[in-house]
């Protein structure tokens, strides 16, 4: 478990500072402005929700709890009623740690969940759960006592069931096999920009591309990396020829050539026509920027952005917003 400390993670502090900088009057105005795209709203008992992914087979959104655990939002129809968040699981042995990035491994009917010590940055783990019974299949400890501080953040899974977990604090990637065994750690000098301040929030969102490589974003620099798993985990920097990906967070592939980047602004659409050797920002979406976009998912061929901040009292209302990109 994570050690208790008064030092918050860099990502958490950055998010809170950005949110607190929004004047209350502007916040109220933004909340009262009718949304321009489709929005799923849901009630929650917490202010903070890190990641939401669409489970197409079971017609539900799965949401990670920053206080630990995962909930589900069962969708009966596509109307605009407010959904109720139902807790799927909360593990007693992980109390005190946050559930952050999640990824659905459809071919194995399981959900991969990253667990992190949000305050002390002393614990990181990866767990797998059966999507039907919510039985935990394994829990892998990514860190051990005496290790450097880390912040396990997001996860992607390849065709063989190997999982790749990003460390946003130290810009490395843990590789865990299909049975939960920690295989290796992927590191590279390319992951560390020369400017010290760009390393305050490092490797973050990650996705697996069906052509056999990973795409991973470095938040403060905006660098996008391609890790070719068929070439011995060869790492290259994707050249962004148009636009910027700075402050990018969660990733999701809309198609093999189009990538959705959640962050600030709320969403960016990135396109590559050469196998992600180069890429361009071809669209942007603002949406509910004041709620801090953290993750992206795809439902019925459309991109949706989930947000960190819930608003309202006594029940907090969170939103998952359809992203319609404009050039």
């Amino acid at each position: 478990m994570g050690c208790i400390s008064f030092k918050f993670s860099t990502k958490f502090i950055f998010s809170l500072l950005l949110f607190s900088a929004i004047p209350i009057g502007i916040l109220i105005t933004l909340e009262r402005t009718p949304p321009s795209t489709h929005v799923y709203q849901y009630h929650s008992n917490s202010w903070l929700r890190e990641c939401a992914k669409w489970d197409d087979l079971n017609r539900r959104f799965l949401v990670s709890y920053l206080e630990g655990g995962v909930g589900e939002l069962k969708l009966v129809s596509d109307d605009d009623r407010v959904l109720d968040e139902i807790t799927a699981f909360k593990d007693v042995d992980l109390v005190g740690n946050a559930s952050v990035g999640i990824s659905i491994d459809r071919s194995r009917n399981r959900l991969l969940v990253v667990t992190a010590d949000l305050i002390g940055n002393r614990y990181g783990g990866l767990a797998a759960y059966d999507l039907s019974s919510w039985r935990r299949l394994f829990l892998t400890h990514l860190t051990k006592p005496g290790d450097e501080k880390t912040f396990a953040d997001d996860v992607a899974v390849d065709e063989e069931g190997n999982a790749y977990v990003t460390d946003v604090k130290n810009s490395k990637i843990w590789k865990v096999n299909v049975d939960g065994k920690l295989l290796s750690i992927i590191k590279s000098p390319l992951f560390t920009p020369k400017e010290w301040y760009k390393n305050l929030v490092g490797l973050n969102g990650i996705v697996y591309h069906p052509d056999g490589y990973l795409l991973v974003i470095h938040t403060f620099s905006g660098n996008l990396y391609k890790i070719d798993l068929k070439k011995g985990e060869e790492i290259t920097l994707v050249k962004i020829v148009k636009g910027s990906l700075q402050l990018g967070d969660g990733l999701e592939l809309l198609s093999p050539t189009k990538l959705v980047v959640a962050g600030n602004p709320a969403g960016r659409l990135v396109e590559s026509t050469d196998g992600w050797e180069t890429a361009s920002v071809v669209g942007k979406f603002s949406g509910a920027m004041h709620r801090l976009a953290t993750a992206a998912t795809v439902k019925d061929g459309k991109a949706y952005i989930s947000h960190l901040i819930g608003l309202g009292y006594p029940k907090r209302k969170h939103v998952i917003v359809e992203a319609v990109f404009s050039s």
Side-chain angles (χ1 to χ4, degrees), residues 39-98:
V39 178
Y40 291 104
Q41 303 178 75
Y42 65 97
H43 279 144
S44 169
N45 291 320
S46 173
W47 296 108
L48 304 173
R49 289 290 176 260
E50 168 69 10
C51 182
K53 294 293 182 181
W54 174 245
D55 177 7
D56 57 339
L57 187 63
N58 296 294
R59 300 293 296 174
R60 62 188 176 183
F61 287 101
L62 300 175
V63 184
S64 63
Y65 294 0
L66 213 59
E67 71 272 21
V70 167
E72 56 182 349
L73 311 173
K74 295 183 178 180
L75 196 63
V76 177
S77 63
D78 281 326
D79 61 18
D80 291 329
R81 65 189 178 89
V82 180
L83 303 171
D84 288 320
E85 178 185 82
I86 301 171
T87 297
F89 59 84
K90 281 188 176 183
D91 290 331
V92 174
D93 57 343
L94 292 175
V95 167
N97 294 298

Side-chain angles (χ1 to χ4, degrees), residues 208-221:
Y208 174 74
H209 193 283
D211 287 342
Y213 49 85
L214 302 167
L215 294 173
V216 58
I217 194 162
H218 188 286
T219 293
F220 266 24
S221 70

Side-chain angles (χ1 to χ4, degrees), residues 112-166:
L112 297 174
V113 182
V114 178
T115 303
D117 170 19
L118 190 64
I119 297 177
N121 298 156
R122 289 297 189 186
Y123 176 79
L126 176 70
Y129 299 84
D130 183 271
L131 279 168
S132 301
S133 65
W134 294 123
R135 179 174 63 91
R136 192 167 77 187
L137 305 174
F138 66 73
L139 171 61
T140 302
H141 297 279
L142 302 173
T143 57
K144 60 182 182 296
D147 283 355
E148 63 182 355
K149 290 189 176 184
T150 62
F151 188 0
D153 188 79
D154 203 3
V155 59
V157 59
D158 66 20
E159 292 175 352
E160 297 178 357
N162 298 308
Y164 303 84
V165 180
T166 56

Side-chain angles (χ1 to χ4, degrees), residues 5-287:
S5 168
F6 292 104
K7 182 178 179 182
F8 287 87
S9 70
T10 305
K11 181 180 178 183
F12 187 61
I13 291 173
F14 172 75
S15 298
L16 288 181
L17 287 176
L18 184 59
F19 181 66
S20 64
I22 302 174
I24 297 299
I26 295 177
L27 187 64
I28 293 173
T29 300
L30 290 171
E31 279 297 294
R32 289 180 174 177
T33 302
S36 59
T37 63
H38 186 250
V39 178
Y40 291 104
Q41 303 178 75
Y42 65 97
H43 279 144
S44 169
N45 291 320
S46 173
W47 296 108
L48 304 173
R49 289 290 176 260
E50 168 69 10
C51 182
K53 294 293 182 181
W54 174 245
D55 177 7
D56 57 339
L57 187 63
N58 296 294
R59 300 293 296 174
R60 62 188 176 183
F61 287 101
L62 300 175
V63 184
S64 63
Y65 294 0
L66 213 59
E67 71 272 21
V70 167
E72 56 182 349
L73 311 173
K74 295 183 178 180
L75 196 63
V76 177
S77 63
D78 281 326
D79 61 18
D80 291 329
R81 65 189 178 89
V82 180
L83 303 171
D84 288 320
E85 178 185 82
I86 301 171
T87 297
F89 59 84
K90 281 188 176 183
D91 290 331
V92 174
D93 57 343
L94 292 175
V95 167
N97 294 298
S99 296
V100 277
I102 59 177
S103 181
I104 295 174
D105 184 3
R106 174 58 61 209
S107 61
R108 295 165 189 83
N109 193 47
R110 63 182 189 169
L111 179 71
L112 297 174
V113 182
V114 178
T115 303
D117 170 19
L118 190 64
I119 297 177
N121 298 156
R122 289 297 189 186
Y123 176 79
L126 176 70
Y129 299 84
D130 183 271
L131 279 168
S132 301
S133 65
W134 294 123
R135 179 174 63 91
R136 192 167 77 187
L137 305 174
F138 66 73
L139 171 61
T140 302
H141 297 279
L142 302 173
T143 57
K144 60 182 182 296
D147 283 355
E148 63 182 355
K149 290 189 176 184
T150 62
F151 188 0
D153 188 79
D154 203 3
V155 59
V157 59
D158 66 20
E159 292 175 352
E160 297 178 357
N162 298 308
Y164 303 84
V165 180
T166 56
D167 177 4
V168 77
K169 190 173 183 64
N170 294 297
S171 292
K172 63 179 183 286
I173 300 170
W174 292 280
K175 182 178 181 179
V176 178
N177 78 359
V178 66
D179 298 316
K181 180 182 178 180
L182 179 59
L183 295 179
S184 62
I185 298 176
I186 303 172
K187 299 181 178 179
S188 171
L190 287 176
F191 292 157
T192 307
K194 61 181 180 180
E195 301 91 347
W196 66 269
Y197 55 89
K198 290 185 178 180
N199 293 295
L200 292 175
V201 182
L203 293 186
N204 199 333
I206 187 170
V207 292
Y208 174 74
H209 193 283
D211 287 342
Y213 49 85
L214 302 167
L215 294 173
V216 58
I217 194 162
H218 188 286
T219 293
F220 266 24
S221 70
N223 288 339
L224 183 67
Y225 301 97
K226 175 181 178 180
I227 304 174
D228 197 326
L229 304 178
K230 296 180 178 180
K231 296 182 179 180
E233 298 173 355
E234 176 187 82
I235 301 168
T236 56
L237 179 64
V238 178
K239 183 178 180 181
I240 307 300
V241 297
K242 178 185 176 183
S244 170
L245 296 182
Q246 279 190 311
L247 302 184
D249 194 337
L251 305 180
E252 189 70 272
L253 284 170
L254 188 60
S255 74
T257 61
K258 293 181 179 179
L259 178 72
V260 180
V261 180
N264 185 28
R268 278 162 282 190
L269 183 63
V270 186
E271 185 173 23
S272 175
T273 57
D274 57 6
W276 295 96
E277 299 298 321
T278 65
S280 299
V281 178
V282 296
K284 295 181 180 180
F285 174 72
S286 294

